[in-house]
Amino acid sequence: MSFVGLFERLYERHPLGVAEPELAEAEARLGVAIPPPLRELHLACGREPCVLASHNRFFSPRALERSDGRIIFCEENQGVCVWGCLPGHEDPLAEVGNVLRDDTLEWHSEQARLSRFLAIQLYLQTAWGGFEHAGDLQGPDPVMSRIESEWEEVVRHQDLTIYWKPGALISALDGQPFLTGAARTEGGFVRLLGDLGFEPL
């Protein structure tokens, strides 16, 4: 699914993207071509704070940086790491750079191609701030079997799993005793709680 299609699925409207000249200016400044998945994300959703700045902070084309040969495209919300990729590939591996005490970066693979990683981030950003109505939830143990059978699993990456229904998302982190629910509307969040018997924490 394209980033436009994914955004429309989540927000039920067409996204606002940046114009091609802004990406061309960024490439001239960086001296390399921006990998196609990152270009597509900015062309599709580059003017949508709900997915680019609601939790972690994606850099605009004007703010993209190069470090250690990589294009840095996103910063973690507390500044403990950044995400980047090596240019020169159609769909490079996404990498996470942990910020060390001397402000250098220690790079590790995210175990996902950039196109998949950016799609994961679009879901995560929506679940953790993009949808206005959200909360940590605690419910009966059997609720997970209902979620797994009634909701669509859209993300399973490392310790993160996200489930989708129209207008709503539920995210789970391995080892955490609670889930996070989010909905596009207040009514959608109330329905999420009622349908699954959750109580807000």
Side-chain angles (χ1 to χ4, degrees):
M1 185 183 299
S2 70
F3 294 125
V4 169
L6 181 49
F7 184 95
E8 290 177 339
R9 182 188 211 205
L10 290 168
Y11 292 91
E12 298 184 9
R13 64 176 176 84
H14 193 73
L16 298 173
V18 304
E20 176 66 40
E22 189 171 340
L23 289 167
E25 290 174 8
E27 290 177 327
R29 176 177 55 82
L30 294 168
V32 294
I34 297 171
L38 188 57
R39 287 179 60 87
E40 181 189 343
L41 179 72
H42 283 289
L43 288 170
C45 307
R47 290 190 290 148
E48 292 289 355
C50 58
V51 294
L52 297 185
S54 58
H55 181 64
N56 299 319
R57 183 174 68 91
F58 277 80
F59 298 149
S60 70
R62 291 186 177 92
L64 291 173
E65 303 174 3
R66 287 192 71 185
S67 180
D68 300 333
R70 296 161 177 84
I71 296 176
I72 311 297
F73 59 81
C74 185
E75 181 180 38
E76 193 265 346
N77 65 89
Q78 296 180 0
V80 300
C81 66
V82 297
W83 286 274
C85 60
L86 289 169
H89 306 274
E90 284 296 303
D91 195 5
L93 286 170
E95 297 180 80
V96 58
N98 296 318
V99 180
L100 303 180
R101 290 183 178 180
D102 62 359
D103 287 332
T104 60
L105 297 171
E106 181 181 70
W107 291 98
H108 303 277
S109 173
E110 274 285 355
Q111 307 296 319
R113 293 287 173 186
L114 183 61
S115 56
R116 177 171 173 264
F117 180 76
L118 294 177
I120 290 169
Q121 291 301 305
L122 206 154
Y123 276 112
L124 182 147
Q125 295 283 99
T126 299
W128 293 0
F131 278 169
E132 295 182 18
H133 307 278
D136 291 335
L137 311 168
Q138 188 168 18
D141 291 340
V143 77
M144 276 308 303
S145 62
R146 288 190 59 192
I147 294 171
E148 290 170 352
S149 64
E150 297 175 8
W151 292 59
E152 179 183 342
E153 182 183 293
V154 290
V155 169
R156 184 176 289 274
H157 180 67
Q158 299 178 4
D159 62 347
L160 172 69
T161 308
I162 299 178
Y163 303 89
W164 170 86
K165 269 189 175 183
L169 294 166
I170 292 174
S171 60
L173 287 169
D174 293 348
Q176 292 291 339
F178 59 87
L179 306 174
T180 298
R184 190 171 49 83
T185 66
E186 184 177 4
F189 189 64
V190 171
R191 285 192 298 275
L192 183 157
L193 295 176
D195 288 349
L196 295 173
F198 280 125
E199 296 178 1
L201 289 179

